[in-house]
DNA sequence: GCCGTTTTCGGCCCGACTGTTTTCAGTCG
């Protein structure tokens, strides 16, 4: 059975960890990490690429050796090198590597000197004072490690972007009170709008760093100061969220923002380009010898290596640098491009507001249209609609539309895709709607083959328009169900259907990678909020952020169309 | 392990902070 890309990427990462513990050449370690990132970012399964005869060694950073290892992994799920490393290196070493403050060198010292087999044994050794006696360890290391070991089980997972906002805004307000502070911005994965963030990176400009660092560490939500120097500091908030602060002079703002926004892989690639041109790029600027030639803005930094500005959401070293050099960067979609929302619920099922209230909220946001897509009867726990209630809802929509209040409601349904791929309402009922979005809400555990067939059959239905939350995942809570997404994307293209990019911050389903694949295949995406309350309509911005990470432009998104242009697109499948 | 407009060998991004091995290695981002 072929192995899927995330598993291949994980195996490569495991090799990198273990090689690191063996004190291998750091550049060899990097090659494995880089390969892992590249495989994770592929839209196509490696097994499919192999079947059609693609040469993996043409992928960036992957040479003949890694190509062969990746092919072995794809075909067999195993890698002899990995098996060998696992035999030679105790499993506890990999676990210790994850503790903050421990790198490969000190993990080796611990394992060899203390004969550790699990983290509990380290805990006891710390309490007995045996660790502080080891070379390269001392009293301070003991304290930090004790904290790390005891906190490891309750360490917060990565935080969803929307939740991170709640911590960031008050902290920024507090920092604005620091003496001499000028610019203040959040960089890192937060600025790149990744769906989750591991920590928060804040950049400030000021003539002197010390007062800003002092203000930062004095914030009332700070639980622990992990490091504090004259220009940077790291704290853990009481919630466990880690926050890094960096302070630079105003003339370095652009260089520092670029450096601090990442991703690391993007930065390394940019610096290498600079290096080839005899430039040194660091967080203070772009330098030729001692002379600073750029750095006040990010645009200057890119300009120094003859590239146009690259939007933060693209900075993952997944081809954006090559596209920038070739002048083919996408013109990314913006929130203002959206004209409507094609996924919303009302209190007829599990929403909280009436039709009229949802219509008014959408109008207030400046939307031209809103599709009402309540659940169908199979989803009994939501009081899903049967044909009679759906028809009554349609009449109510007609009455609201007749008022011509500036918003048009579309008659839709989020119809359940049943286990065999049939839809939960009769054809003649679906045929009376403006729009049918279908979704899987049950039997998440079907095999990949069955789940894929189920959805493909639903797409074949003559009234099917949009596949809602295509993988069913809940970020950090529920894995996506196992489906062959490239196949579904191709089927949507053949059938004239659309896929949803569900904008709910718990879902963001599709992923950036699948968005990009859909774009390449020519399938339009519908950014839908799946609103269950009026306030959820504002989640459109999270969908747009994800769309931008997926390289989507205005024309790649269905609901950037005016109502007039939208209707024929929806009608195309309503035959 | 990868890669090539100085190179098929010899490089590989760059700097801050910490603790401890009193001059810098380890770790992190």
């Amino acid at each position: 059975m072929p192995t899927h890309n995330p598993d291949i990427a994980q195996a490569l990462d495991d090799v990198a960890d273990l090689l690191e513990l063996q004190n291998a050449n750091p550049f060899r370690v990097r090659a494995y990490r880089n390969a892992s990132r590249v495989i994770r970012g592929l839209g196509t399964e490696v097994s499919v690429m192999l079947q059609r005869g693609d040469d993996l060694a043409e992928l960036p950073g992957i040479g003949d050796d890694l190509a062969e290892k990746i092919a072995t992994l794809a075909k067999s799920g195993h890698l002899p090198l990995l098996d060998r490393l696992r035999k030679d290196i105790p499993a506890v070493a990999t676990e210790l590597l994850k503790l903050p403050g421990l790198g490969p060198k000190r993990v080796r010292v611990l394992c060899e000197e203390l004969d550790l087999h699990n983290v509990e044994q380290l805990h006891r050794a710390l309490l007995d004072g045996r660790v502080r006696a080891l070379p390269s360890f001392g009293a301070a290391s003991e304290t930090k490690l004790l904290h790390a070991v005891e906190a490891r089980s309750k360490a917060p997972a990565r935080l969803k972007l929307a939740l991170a906002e709640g911590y960031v805004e008050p902290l920024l307000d507090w920092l604005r009170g620091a003496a001499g502070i000028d610019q203040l911005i959040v960089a890192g994965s937060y600025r790149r709008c990744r769906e989750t963030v591991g920590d928060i990176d804040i950049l400030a400009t000021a003539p002197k760093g010390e007062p800003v660092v002092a203000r930062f560490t004095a914030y009332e939500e700070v639980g622990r100061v992990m490091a504090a120097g004259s220009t940077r500091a790291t704290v853990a908030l009481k919630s466990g969220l880690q926050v890094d602060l960096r302070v630079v002079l105003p003339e370095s703002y652009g260089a520092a923002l670029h450096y601090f926004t990442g991703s690391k892989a993007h930065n390394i690639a940019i610096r290498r380009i600079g290096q080839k041109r005899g430039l040194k790029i660091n967080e203070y600027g772009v330098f030729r010898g001692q002379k600073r030639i750029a750095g006040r803005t990010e645009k200057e930094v890119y300009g120094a290596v003859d590239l146009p500005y690259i939007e933060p959401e693209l900075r993952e070293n997944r081809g954006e640098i090559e596209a920038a050099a070739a002048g083919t960067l996408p013109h990314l979609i913006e929130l203002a491009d959206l004209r409507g929302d094609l996924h919303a619920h009302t209190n007829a099922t599990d929403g909280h507001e009436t039709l009229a209230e949802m219509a008014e909220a959408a109008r207030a946001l400046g939307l031209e249209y809103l599709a009402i897509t309540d659940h169908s009867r199979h989803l009994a726990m939501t009081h899903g609609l049967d044909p009679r209630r759906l028809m009554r809802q349609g009449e109510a929509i007609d009455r609201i539309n007749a008022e011509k209040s500036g918003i048009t409601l579309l008659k839709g349904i989020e119809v359940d895709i049943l286990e065999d791929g049939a839809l939960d309402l009769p054809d003649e009922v679906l045929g009376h709607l403006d729009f049918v979005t279908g979704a899987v809400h049950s039997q998440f555990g079907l095999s990949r083959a069955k789940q894929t067939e189920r959805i493909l059959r639903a797409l074949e239905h003559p009234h099917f328009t949009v596949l809602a939350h295509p993988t069913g995942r809940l970020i950090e809570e529920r894995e996506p169900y196992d489906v062959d997404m490239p196949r579904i994307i191709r089927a949507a293209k053949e059938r004239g259907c659309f896929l949803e990019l569900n904008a709910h911050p718990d879902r963001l389903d599709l992923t950036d990678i699948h968005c990009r694949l859909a774009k390449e295949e020519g399938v339009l995406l519908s950014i839908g909020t799946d609103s269950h309350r009026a306030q959820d309509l504002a989640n459109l911005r999270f969908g747009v952020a994800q769309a931008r990470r997926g390289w989507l432009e205005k024309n790649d998104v269905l609901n950037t169309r005016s109502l007039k242009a939208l209707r024929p697109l929806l009608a195309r499948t309503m035959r």
Side-chain angles (χ1 to χ4, degrees), chain A residues 410-429:
Chain A
L410 296 175
K411 294 177 206 168
I413 184 83
E414 181 181 359
V415 66
D416 260 45
I417 298 174
L418 304 178
E419 187 178 351
D420 62 357
L423 302 184
D424 183 32
L425 288 170
D427 286 4
E428 61 270 24
V429 173

PDB file of all heavy atoms in Angstrom, chain A residues 410-429:
ATOM      1  N   LEU A 410     -29.966  33.920  -1.279  1.00  0.00           N
ATOM      2  CA  LEU A 410     -30.083  32.814  -2.216  1.00  0.00           C
ATOM      3  C   LEU A 410     -30.653  31.612  -1.480  1.00  0.00           C
ATOM      4  O   LEU A 410     -30.322  31.373  -0.319  1.00  0.00           O
ATOM      5  CB  LEU A 410     -28.717  32.461  -2.810  1.00  0.00           C
ATOM      6  CG  LEU A 410     -28.076  33.557  -3.663  1.00  0.00           C
ATOM      7  CD1 LEU A 410     -26.673  33.146  -4.094  1.00  0.00           C
ATOM      8  CD2 LEU A 410     -28.945  33.858  -4.875  1.00  0.00           C
ATOM      9  N   LYS A 411     -31.499  30.873  -2.180  1.00  0.00           N
ATOM     10  CA  LYS A 411     -32.089  29.674  -1.584  1.00  0.00           C
ATOM     11  C   LYS A 411     -31.137  28.504  -1.767  1.00  0.00           C
ATOM     12  O   LYS A 411     -30.890  28.066  -2.893  1.00  0.00           O
ATOM     13  CB  LYS A 411     -33.417  29.342  -2.264  1.00  0.00           C
ATOM     14  CG  LYS A 411     -34.499  30.364  -2.028  1.00  0.00           C
ATOM     15  CD  LYS A 411     -35.749  29.975  -2.814  1.00  0.00           C
ATOM     16  CE  LYS A 411     -36.563  31.208  -3.107  1.00  0.00           C
ATOM     17  NZ  LYS A 411     -37.618  30.942  -4.098  1.00  0.00           N
ATOM     18  N   GLY A 412     -30.615  28.050  -0.634  1.00  0.00           N
ATOM     19  CA  GLY A 412     -29.684  26.932  -0.707  1.00  0.00           C
ATOM     20  C   GLY A 412     -29.982  25.896   0.347  1.00  0.00           C
ATOM     21  O   GLY A 412     -30.982  25.983   1.069  1.00  0.00           O
ATOM     22  N   ILE A 413     -29.130  24.910   0.415  1.00  0.00           N
ATOM     23  CA  ILE A 413     -29.241  23.858   1.429  1.00  0.00           C
ATOM     24  C   ILE A 413     -27.841  23.288   1.622  1.00  0.00           C
ATOM     25  O   ILE A 413     -27.052  23.245   0.674  1.00  0.00           O
ATOM     26  CB  ILE A 413     -30.211  22.740   0.963  1.00  0.00           C
ATOM     27  CG1 ILE A 413     -30.423  21.674   2.046  1.00  0.00           C
ATOM     28  CG2 ILE A 413     -29.697  22.059  -0.289  1.00  0.00           C
ATOM     29  CD1 ILE A 413     -31.450  22.032   3.064  1.00  0.00           C
ATOM     30  N   GLU A 414     -27.503  22.947   2.856  1.00  0.00           N
ATOM     31  CA  GLU A 414     -26.302  22.139   3.073  1.00  0.00           C
ATOM     32  C   GLU A 414     -26.794  20.716   3.243  1.00  0.00           C
ATOM     33  O   GLU A 414     -27.122  20.277   4.339  1.00  0.00           O
ATOM     34  CB  GLU A 414     -25.515  22.595   4.307  1.00  0.00           C
ATOM     35  CG  GLU A 414     -24.245  21.766   4.518  1.00  0.00           C
ATOM     36  CD  GLU A 414     -23.428  22.172   5.745  1.00  0.00           C
ATOM     37  OE1 GLU A 414     -23.816  23.131   6.451  1.00  0.00           O
ATOM     38  OE2 GLU A 414     -22.409  21.516   6.008  1.00  0.00           O
ATOM     39  N   VAL A 415     -26.898  20.025   2.118  1.00  0.00           N
ATOM     40  CA  VAL A 415     -27.525  18.710   2.127  1.00  0.00           C
ATOM     41  C   VAL A 415     -26.508  17.649   2.541  1.00  0.00           C
ATOM     42  O   VAL A 415     -25.339  17.716   2.152  1.00  0.00           O
ATOM     43  CB  VAL A 415     -28.149  18.399   0.742  1.00  0.00           C
ATOM     44  CG1 VAL A 415     -27.072  18.263  -0.330  1.00  0.00           C
ATOM     45  CG2 VAL A 415     -29.003  17.144   0.788  1.00  0.00           C
ATOM     46  N   ASP A 416     -26.957  16.715   3.367  1.00  0.00           N
ATOM     47  CA  ASP A 416     -26.057  15.642   3.792  1.00  0.00           C
ATOM     48  C   ASP A 416     -25.735  14.708   2.630  1.00  0.00           C
ATOM     49  O   ASP A 416     -26.631  14.314   1.877  1.00  0.00           O
ATOM     50  CB  ASP A 416     -26.706  14.823   4.914  1.00  0.00           C
ATOM     51  CG  ASP A 416     -26.166  15.229   6.274  1.00  0.00           C
ATOM     52  OD1 ASP A 416     -26.058  16.459   6.501  1.00  0.00           O
ATOM     53  OD2 ASP A 416     -25.849  14.338   7.077  1.00  0.00           O
ATOM     54  N   ILE A 417     -24.471  14.372   2.513  1.00  0.00           N
ATOM     55  CA  ILE A 417     -24.066  13.308   1.591  1.00  0.00           C
ATOM     56  C   ILE A 417     -24.142  12.013   2.394  1.00  0.00           C
ATOM     57  O   ILE A 417     -23.414  11.839   3.367  1.00  0.00           O
ATOM     58  CB  ILE A 417     -22.638  13.552   1.070  1.00  0.00           C
ATOM     59  CG1 ILE A 417     -22.579  14.870   0.285  1.00  0.00           C
ATOM     60  CG2 ILE A 417     -22.182  12.377   0.201  1.00  0.00           C
ATOM     61  CD1 ILE A 417     -21.185  15.281  -0.142  1.00  0.00           C
ATOM     62  N   LEU A 418     -25.070  11.153   2.015  1.00  0.00           N
ATOM     63  CA  LEU A 418     -25.284   9.920   2.774  1.00  0.00           C
ATOM     64  C   LEU A 418     -24.137   8.941   2.531  1.00  0.00           C
ATOM     65  O   LEU A 418     -23.277   9.173   1.672  1.00  0.00           O
ATOM     66  CB  LEU A 418     -26.636   9.303   2.388  1.00  0.00           C
ATOM     67  CG  LEU A 418     -27.818  10.269   2.579  1.00  0.00           C
ATOM     68  CD1 LEU A 418     -29.126   9.611   2.138  1.00  0.00           C
ATOM     69  CD2 LEU A 418     -27.925  10.743   4.027  1.00  0.00           C
ATOM     70  N   GLU A 419     -24.152   7.853   3.284  1.00  0.00           N
ATOM     71  CA  GLU A 419     -22.995   6.966   3.253  1.00  0.00           C
ATOM     72  C   GLU A 419     -22.707   6.401   1.863  1.00  0.00           C
ATOM     73  O   GLU A 419     -21.560   6.171   1.485  1.00  0.00           O
ATOM     74  CB  GLU A 419     -23.167   5.812   4.255  1.00  0.00           C
ATOM     75  CG  GLU A 419     -21.896   4.971   4.358  1.00  0.00           C
ATOM     76  CD  GLU A 419     -22.002   3.837   5.368  1.00  0.00           C
ATOM     77  OE1 GLU A 419     -23.005   3.799   6.109  1.00  0.00           O
ATOM     78  OE2 GLU A 419     -21.096   2.988   5.395  1.00  0.00           O
ATOM     79  N   ASP A 420     -23.767   6.226   1.066  1.00  0.00           N
ATOM     80  CA  ASP A 420     -23.559   5.661  -0.265  1.00  0.00           C
ATOM     81  C   ASP A 420     -23.352   6.747  -1.325  1.00  0.00           C
ATOM     82  O   ASP A 420     -23.289   6.444  -2.510  1.00  0.00           O
ATOM     83  CB  ASP A 420     -24.746   4.769  -0.648  1.00  0.00           C
ATOM     84  CG  ASP A 420     -26.050   5.556  -0.722  1.00  0.00           C
ATOM     85  OD1 ASP A 420     -26.026   6.775  -0.408  1.00  0.00           O
ATOM     86  OD2 ASP A 420     -27.076   4.962  -1.082  1.00  0.00           O
ATOM     87  N   GLY A 421     -23.267   8.012  -0.886  1.00  0.00           N
ATOM     88  CA  GLY A 421     -23.046   9.096  -1.840  1.00  0.00           C
ATOM     89  C   GLY A 421     -24.316   9.720  -2.373  1.00  0.00           C
ATOM     90  O   GLY A 421     -24.270  10.696  -3.112  1.00  0.00           O
ATOM     91  N   ALA A 422     -25.484   9.159  -2.001  1.00  0.00           N
ATOM     92  CA  ALA A 422     -26.751   9.786  -2.381  1.00  0.00           C
ATOM     93  C   ALA A 422     -26.948  11.048  -1.544  1.00  0.00           C
ATOM     94  O   ALA A 422     -26.340  11.204  -0.491  1.00  0.00           O
ATOM     95  CB  ALA A 422     -27.905   8.818  -2.150  1.00  0.00           C
ATOM     96  N   LEU A 423     -27.810  11.952  -2.040  1.00  0.00           N
ATOM     97  CA  LEU A 423     -28.109  13.173  -1.282  1.00  0.00           C
ATOM     98  C   LEU A 423     -29.377  12.961  -0.461  1.00  0.00           C
ATOM     99  O   LEU A 423     -30.231  12.144  -0.801  1.00  0.00           O
ATOM    100  CB  LEU A 423     -28.255  14.367  -2.229  1.00  0.00           C
ATOM    101  CG  LEU A 423     -27.014  14.630  -3.101  1.00  0.00           C
ATOM    102  CD1 LEU A 423     -27.202  15.899  -3.933  1.00  0.00           C
ATOM    103  CD2 LEU A 423     -25.757  14.748  -2.245  1.00  0.00           C
ATOM    104  N   ASP A 424     -29.478  13.743   0.615  1.00  0.00           N
ATOM    105  CA  ASP A 424     -30.486  13.511   1.645  1.00  0.00           C
ATOM    106  C   ASP A 424     -31.869  14.076   1.282  1.00  0.00           C
ATOM    107  O   ASP A 424     -32.796  13.967   2.074  1.00  0.00           O
ATOM    108  CB  ASP A 424     -29.958  14.134   2.950  1.00  0.00           C
ATOM    109  CG  ASP A 424     -30.872  13.909   4.136  1.00  0.00           C
ATOM    110  OD1 ASP A 424     -31.538  12.864   4.164  1.00  0.00           O
ATOM    111  OD2 ASP A 424     -30.919  14.785   5.008  1.00  0.00           O
ATOM    112  N   LEU A 425     -32.024  14.711   0.119  1.00  0.00           N
ATOM    113  CA  LEU A 425     -33.331  15.246  -0.276  1.00  0.00           C
ATOM    114  C   LEU A 425     -33.603  14.849  -1.727  1.00  0.00           C
ATOM    115  O   LEU A 425     -32.658  14.670  -2.507  1.00  0.00           O
ATOM    116  CB  LEU A 425     -33.360  16.774  -0.134  1.00  0.00           C
ATOM    117  CG  LEU A 425     -33.394  17.304   1.308  1.00  0.00           C
ATOM    118  CD1 LEU A 425     -33.177  18.810   1.334  1.00  0.00           C
ATOM    119  CD2 LEU A 425     -34.710  16.948   2.006  1.00  0.00           C
ATOM    120  N   PRO A 426     -34.881  14.720  -2.088  1.00  0.00           N
ATOM    121  CA  PRO A 426     -35.233  14.292  -3.450  1.00  0.00           C
ATOM    122  C   PRO A 426     -34.795  15.310  -4.506  1.00  0.00           C
ATOM    123  O   PRO A 426     -34.735  16.509  -4.235  1.00  0.00           O
ATOM    124  CB  PRO A 426     -36.769  14.213  -3.413  1.00  0.00           C
ATOM    125  CG  PRO A 426     -37.148  14.256  -1.977  1.00  0.00           C
ATOM    126  CD  PRO A 426     -36.055  14.924  -1.239  1.00  0.00           C
ATOM    127  N   ASP A 427     -34.536  14.820  -5.705  1.00  0.00           N
ATOM    128  CA  ASP A 427     -34.080  15.665  -6.814  1.00  0.00           C
ATOM    129  C   ASP A 427     -34.994  16.857  -7.053  1.00  0.00           C
ATOM    130  O   ASP A 427     -34.543  17.975  -7.284  1.00  0.00           O
ATOM    131  CB  ASP A 427     -34.029  14.847  -8.118  1.00  0.00           C
ATOM    132  CG  ASP A 427     -32.849  13.899  -8.116  1.00  0.00           C
ATOM    133  OD1 ASP A 427     -32.147  13.835  -7.073  1.00  0.00           O
ATOM    134  OD2 ASP A 427     -32.637  13.229  -9.136  1.00  0.00           O
ATOM    135  N   GLU A 428     -36.332  16.591  -7.043  1.00  0.00           N
ATOM    136  CA  GLU A 428     -37.240  17.690  -7.415  1.00  0.00           C
ATOM    137  C   GLU A 428     -37.192  18.812  -6.381  1.00  0.00           C
ATOM    138  O   GLU A 428     -37.388  19.977  -6.729  1.00  0.00           O
ATOM    139  CB  GLU A 428     -38.678  17.178  -7.617  1.00  0.00           C
ATOM    140  CG  GLU A 428     -39.310  16.551  -6.398  1.00  0.00           C
ATOM    141  CD  GLU A 428     -39.051  15.041  -6.316  1.00  0.00           C
ATOM    142  OE1 GLU A 428     -38.047  14.589  -6.904  1.00  0.00           O
ATOM    143  OE2 GLU A 428     -39.835  14.335  -5.668  1.00  0.00           O
ATOM    144  N   VAL A 429     -36.903  18.455  -5.127  1.00  0.00           N
ATOM    145  CA  VAL A 429     -36.765  19.497  -4.094  1.00  0.00           C
ATOM    146  C   VAL A 429     -35.497  20.292  -4.339  1.00  0.00           C
ATOM    147  O   VAL A 429     -35.493  21.536  -4.349  1.00  0.00           O
ATOM    148  CB  VAL A 429     -36.751  18.853  -2.690  1.00  0.00           C
ATOM    149  CG1 VAL A 429     -36.446  19.908  -1.633  1.00  0.00           C
ATOM    150  CG2 VAL A 429     -38.077  18.163  -2.411  1.00  0.00           C
TER     151      VAL A 429
END
